[in-house]
Amino acid sequence: MDLDLSFYNWALFTSYLQKGLIFSIQLTVIATIGGIIVGTMLALMRLSGKPWLVMPATIYVNTMRSIPLVMVILWFFLLIPLMIGKPIGINLSAIITFIAFEAAFFSEIVRAGIQSIPRGQVYAGQALGMSYAQNMRLVVLPQAFRNMIPVFMTQTIILFQDTSLVYAIGAYDLLKGFEIAGKNFGRPIETYLLAAVTYFLICFTLSRIVRRIQQKVAIIR
Amino acid sequence: MTLDWSVFCKDTLTGEAAPRCFSFLFGMDPNADPTYLDWLFTAWGWTLSVAGLSLVLALLMGVMIGTLRTLPPTNLLNKVFAFLGTVWVELFRNIPLLVQVFLWYHVVPAFFPVMKSFPSYLLVSIALGLFTSARIAEQVRAGIQSLPSGQRNAAIALGMTTTQSYRYVILPMGLRIIIPPLTSECMNLVKNSSVAFAVSVPELTLFAMQAQEETSRGIEIYLAVTGLYVISAFSVNRIMAWIEKKSRVPGFIAPSASGSH
Amino acid sequence: MIELQHISKWYGQFQVLTDCSTTIKKGEVVVICGPSGSGKSTLIKTINALEPFQEGELIVNGIRLHDPKTDLPKLRAKVGMVFQHFELFPHLSVMENLTIAQIKVLNRSLEDAKQHGLKYLERVGLLEQKDKFPGQLSGGQQQRVAIARALCMDPMVMLFDEPTSALDPEMVGEVLDVMVKLAQEGMTMCVVTHEMGFAKKVSHRVIFMDKGIIVEDCSRDEFFGNPDARSPRAKDFLSKILAD
């Protein structure tokens, strides 16, 4: 069994992988930011206590969590063109899908984070005369978000891994870049191996960073 | 938008309506062409098979590796085992599942030629099983570490060896404690089996892609497939709930061990 | 029977035991007392090798603990230990708790193990609970079962690590009664405890520890009867405890 890695050089990177890596990173970043924003809204809806807010949010979150991600990707790719009346680009469909999907997971993280803030903090805010919105904005959310940063980052690493599933609709992400490179050079074995090593190095490094940050960021009570 | 469910009774080869919706699947008419309904349920069978096979592998390896990571670092062998366990977990957690599937399908058989004759569903099951085993290992580790240290001490004080203490004291309670996170992991496994489409295993997701192309009735097809995934995950949930009930220890309130994400 | 010679132990940089030496003779009841963090729990756990130590020698009935060739599980089977938090195995019934080590460690038959179990269960007064699970018993009952479990192994010495500290006050008595009976029957016992009444009643010797050092090691009568001859730290401790 001989591996020939001689073809792996900068030219390969710029011609095949760069485009894919950029899209994977774009997708991860946009889905994280969008997912946190929408997820926070969903979490607040679920915690509001008003049935007309709680029900739709709960249904949304539970639905997204019960369906395989590949199916969600296929669903959005099918439905969005039907709803807007014209075809949609693969990349844009992927972005919208991931924001919508990750929002469900981020909302669970935000919900748990808010609920982990001791009730005493909420009472203190109320005793000072704050409204619900002020309490949330000035007391609860700042503390909750600071606690949640390591969990957000872990979720982002998982998100980055999940972006490889856009393979299902043929999007050009990092994995696709490796695959096409492998086909063009006739060396699929080396490229899939390199793909695994690359993803491993990225994710492992990020998870080490998260562990480092976890120790620094926690609020000491 | 109206839904046309009759697509399921269409013949997959000719595209016309078939006399019965379930043609050959349940032995009604072995000579008939399969309908989309037949195909749907065959695909479901493949999904459940891949999931089942992966689950067995994931549980066996996961419990073993998770246990190895909790061994007390009293001698060199234990430290080596613990390190190997850490390597295992980090390796399978930091590579996307799809990439792992491709590794087992393209790369590993090149190193072990005997695997070239393995069918693709077996390779996918290995990939999915080992991927999930790393996550289960972490949950087992968390469960064992949430037990009061006195339990291990009490077992050892009675003269049990390390192996005996794990077998009779630590694992029975540790595994009971992690049934909740284990349940969601099993449900994840059923969902993750969808990745088998990438190596042409004829399971539900591949069916969804192909049937949608053929019939252009994407919504109905996707709804049926989604419904079956939801039913499968829900069944797993109910089975685990039954297991939890059967294994409950009278009078014991478990310390909560939240499995890692 | 038990000899500790110059035992020292460190957790990383922190020294928890410093040059501890003492002997426990057959049939003796030795009480170890002292403030929290004095190392008394750690010391008693070195006797059955639950806690390793870096310096010193420990000999139990001729077996050298610091010798790497020693078969520790075999030794531990003969040294009984009762823990502060009882540590019954929650997934096993009382009877199974009593028999599991007898069967798996001592290789007794199931019948033999059950006979032993019933005998000691009756000794601690809990025969009717034999099929219950630990979660269904009170703290005092659990601790008495734990004592029976240790006795089932027919140990040559019984170690007690703060056996009553985790109990509600009303249950302390029932456990102490069992321990007093054991002492009167001639069992060699080493007990870490705050219960000075028990110490006064049945102990032969009292060891007082502070910050990992054995400060006092004298007979019971000397310890309680002659407080002025004791070191200032021990005197201070005694005055606070006995004043309540």
Side-chain angles (χ1 to χ4, degrees), chain C residues 148-159:
Chain C
R149 177 177 68 176
L151 289 173
C152 280
M153 306 292 280
D154 292 323
M156 46 182 177
V157 56
M158 285 284 282
L159 305 176

Side-chain angles (χ1 to χ4, degrees), chain C residues 100-142:
Chain C
I100 187 167
Q102 293 183 67
I103 297 171
K104 300 295 174 186
V105 177
L106 297 179
N107 293 314
R108 287 183 185 157
S109 71
L110 181 60
E111 276 319 300
D112 203 10
K114 276 194 178 159
Q115 290 299 337
H116 266 82
L118 290 170
K119 177 170 100 179
Y120 287 110
L121 208 49
E122 196 176 13
R123 279 260 225 115
V124 301
L126 288 172
L127 201 50
E128 335 79 60
Q129 312 292 357
K130 68 177 169 59
D131 293 316
K132 289 252 175 75
F133 281 79
Q136 297 167 312
L137 302 178
S138 73
Q141 291 172 321
Q142 288 189 51

